[in-house]
Amino acid sequence: MGVQQKKVAVHDLEVGMFVSDLDRPWHQTPFPIQGFHIRSQDDIRALVSHCKWVMIDVAEVRDLKTTESSEQSSVFGRAAKRSRRGREELKLPPLAIREPVEYETVSTLKKEMKVSKRLLDDAEVTLDRLFKTLQSGSVPDLRPLADITRKMVSSVIRQPDALLWLSRVRSYDDYIYRHGLNSSVWALVCGRELGLNEGLLNHLGLGCLMSQVGKMALPRSLLDKEGQFSADEHALYKSYVQKGVALLEDSGLSRAVLSVVQGHRERHNGSGFPQGIRGDRIPLLAKVAGIAEFFESLIGPRGGGAEPMTPAKAVSLLYEMRNIEFQEDLVEHFIQAIGIYPTGSLVELSDGQRGIVVSHTPGRRLWPKVMVMTDQQQMPLKSARIIDLAKFNEDRAAEEALAVRECLPHGTDGLDPARYDVTGAESRWGLGRLISG
């Protein structure tokens, strides 16, 4: 039986309802994702200020009602409470970034792609050498990796989509390398959105790259079943953080970088490891690394038969976790940075065409730029075609708009971006030709 929708006036909304549609376009509101559960009176007040009515999914209503007579839900107060889902929520004042930097995109995707490809090649070689040095018990020379990190930071500052695109569609020989590299890129894109200065971005990127080194000391069979552990296996798995810190403590890394390695698995409500610290006791860079590493763990392909989550579902899950495992405004900054359909997401458009998201437009979160790889009957195209949904829909009525219908699973048949040249496709095809053929 399908999910039933019901039109509800915003003043009649209740905590636990699932909002599936609004009386205005989603991109004209501050809500980071399309479709979300109402978790507090704050959510209702936000809806009241922007809408007159909404659509709710009747089958998705959850029992999230909590007593809020003490106004514990204020985002400007410090309060912890236990929700009926049994997970503690912690609300803190908004993140305060000292002297935030506002970055501008100064390079084209095509130009930055050439730089990024060489950069990732060098990064994988450098990580391989570094890990072998650590495995041998020797003290590593981290200068080559620090140099790689500086180049990654510069690339993301100039153009945040190129490195992200390549890291998402690239094949790696080793899971640990891929996880560390991709987590680092997600973190840098988020850090750029937060306005972290270049020095902090360098600490963040290097810390993410080094955050996985402790996994070298774990059995490969254990890593292949991550997320499906017994109690004993989970206890062993959690030791990788401290093992990594021990391997790196004599390497000359700065305290800021080591804090990322040490704290990237801590969680906002204290449910993380190894120390179980919470809230503002977790260093800012470790918070950013934590949300990036968690997101990558959800969407990254891996062995053991575990199916990765689609990026859109992972974004939705993150939004559900705000003030539980991750600080609320950090979640919203992360989603703003990567988009509702992050770069590298396989998608089907409303007319049946299928492709992969190349980049997103900050002001048009539901209308990314898509490299289309099939026609409306899902037959592969000889040449990829780029459609910028934001530009395409600019002067069109809602019923004529072309949109993302759904996010597709990793490995969907017929969707292999490696077969196409995204930079060539972008330069050869004009918008008029794209949408007419």
Side-chain angles (χ1 to χ4, degrees):
M1 186 176 75
V3 175
Q4 294 182 340
Q5 289 191 321
K6 180 180 179 182
K7 184 175 178 179
V8 176
V10 289
H11 292 286
D12 295 328
L13 292 172
E14 297 180 6
V15 172
M17 290 179 172
F18 184 87
V19 178
S20 57
D21 205 355
L22 310 176
D23 62 0
R24 64 181 57 222
W26 285 87
H27 66 265
Q28 294 178 5
T29 74
F31 308 116
I33 65 171
Q34 181 175 3
F36 62 92
H37 282 99
I38 299 175
R39 298 171 65 250
S40 69
Q41 292 298 323
D42 285 342
D43 290 344
I44 294 176
R45 284 191 283 270
L47 285 163
V48 168
S49 67
H50 288 88
C51 306
K52 293 182 179 179
W53 57 264
V54 300
M55 299 297 291
I56 67 166
D57 287 356
V58 177
E60 290 285 346
V61 173
R62 291 185 181 179
D63 184 11
L64 303 181
K65 297 178 184 178
T66 55
T67 302
E68 295 183 306
S69 58
S70 61
E71 289 299 315
Q72 287 181 313
S73 62
S74 171
V75 295
F76 300 105
R78 294 174 181 266
K81 61 184 177 181
R82 181 72 60 179
S83 75
R84 288 195 179 181
R85 286 172 292 171
R87 308 194 67 182
E88 190 176 37
E89 296 186 40
L90 175 65
K91 294 210 172 186
L92 297 178
L95 289 169
I97 307 299
R98 185 178 299 174
E99 299 179 357
V101 180
E102 188 170 336
Y103 295 104
E104 293 184 8
T105 299
V106 296
S107 180
T108 64
L109 182 66
K110 180 179 180 179
K111 180 178 180 181
E112 200 60 38
M113 204 77 85
K114 296 177 181 178
V115 176
S116 298
K117 185 181 184 305
R118 291 194 298 270
L119 184 52
L120 286 178
D121 289 340
D122 292 344
E124 192 167 358
V125 170
T126 302
L127 280 171
D128 182 56
R129 290 173 179 166
L130 174 68
F131 279 33
K132 286 177 179 176
T133 300
L134 288 168
Q135 284 178 316
S136 71
S138 303
V139 177
D141 179 3
L142 294 178
R143 287 174 296 181
L145 192 62
D147 184 55
I148 291 289
T149 304
R150 284 191 291 271
K151 292 177 181 178
M152 289 175 64
V153 168
S154 296
S155 177
V156 168
I157 286 175
R158 291 190 299 266
Q159 218 293 343
D161 290 309
L163 195 61
L164 187 54
W165 162 267
L166 288 173
S167 70
R168 290 282 286 123
V169 302
R170 182 185 177 92
S171 296
Y172 293 96
D173 294 332
D174 190 280
Y175 160 72
I176 298 178
Y177 300 167
R178 176 185 61 75
H179 195 71
L181 269 170
N182 287 4
S183 297
S184 181
V185 177
W186 291 119
L188 291 177
V189 171
C190 180
R192 182 186 192 270
E193 168 70 19
L194 286 168
L196 300 181
N197 64 45
E198 198 164 345
L200 291 175
L201 290 175
N202 276 292
H203 291 322
L204 175 62
L206 185 55
C208 288
L209 288 174
M210 303 305 299
S211 67
Q212 306 298 301
V213 298
K215 290 182 178 178
M216 293 187 307
L218 301 179
R220 175 63 60 168
S221 59
L222 187 70
L223 298 179
D224 287 340
K225 59 187 298 187
E226 188 172 336
Q228 306 170 43
F229 298 137
S230 67
D232 289 342
E233 288 171 334
H234 192 227
L236 175 59
Y237 174 78
K238 290 195 296 184
S239 70
Y240 89 83
V241 173
Q242 295 296 60
K243 292 179 187 296
V245 173
L247 283 168
L248 297 169
E249 59 187 358
D250 295 325
S251 63
L253 284 175
S254 69
R255 183 176 299 178
V257 175
L258 280 174
S259 75
V260 173
V261 179
Q262 174 79 36
H264 74 280
R265 293 304 295 258
E266 301 292 354
R267 292 295 179 256
H268 183 65
N269 65 353
S271 62
F273 61 87
Q275 295 177 293
I277 57 177
R278 56 189 283 158
D280 51 12
R281 291 192 60 202
I282 305 172
L284 174 61
L285 297 186
K287 290 183 181 184
V288 178
I291 198 170
E293 192 273 342
F294 176 76
F295 189 77
E296 174 61 24
S297 72
L298 294 177
I299 66 169
R302 54 179 305 109
E307 286 295 323
M309 191 176 288
T310 67
K313 287 184 178 178
V315 166
S316 183
L317 178 60
L318 272 182
Y319 193 63
E320 288 285 304
M321 289 178 146
R322 64 199 195 282
N323 283 339
I324 300 175
E325 294 203 24
F326 303 102
Q327 190 167 339
E328 181 171 31
D329 51 340
L330 179 58
V331 170
E332 295 181 355
H333 277 294
F334 186 82
I335 295 173
Q336 182 66 30
I338 69 170
I340 306 301
Y341 304 108
T343 297
S345 301
L346 298 177
V347 295
E348 181 174 313
L349 301 182
S350 52
D351 66 352
Q353 296 182 90
R354 290 181 170 184
I356 186 168
V357 174
V358 176
S359 64
H360 77 282
T361 305
R364 294 288 186 269
R365 294 187 292 270
L366 300 180
W367 293 342
K369 184 180 291 186
V370 178
M371 182 174 80
V372 174
M373 294 181 281
T374 78
D375 61 20
Q376 295 177 355
Q377 287 72 44
Q378 284 90 59
M379 297 300 294
L381 300 174
K382 291 183 179 179
S383 298
R385 308 184 299 187
I386 300 292
I387 300 179
D388 186 335
L389 295 181
K391 289 183 179 178
F392 178 75
N393 294 325
E394 204 164 30
D395 299 317
R396 283 176 167 78
E399 60 271 14
E400 299 175 343
L402 187 61
V404 175
R405 176 184 292 160
E406 63 176 325
C407 212
L408 301 171
H410 173 81
T412 296
D413 287 345
L415 298 181
D416 180 10
R419 293 180 51 210
Y420 301 99
D421 177 10
V422 63
T423 59
E426 185 175 43
S427 62
R428 286 198 306 267
W429 292 82
L431 184 63
R433 187 176 179 187
L434 289 180
I435 61 180
S436 63

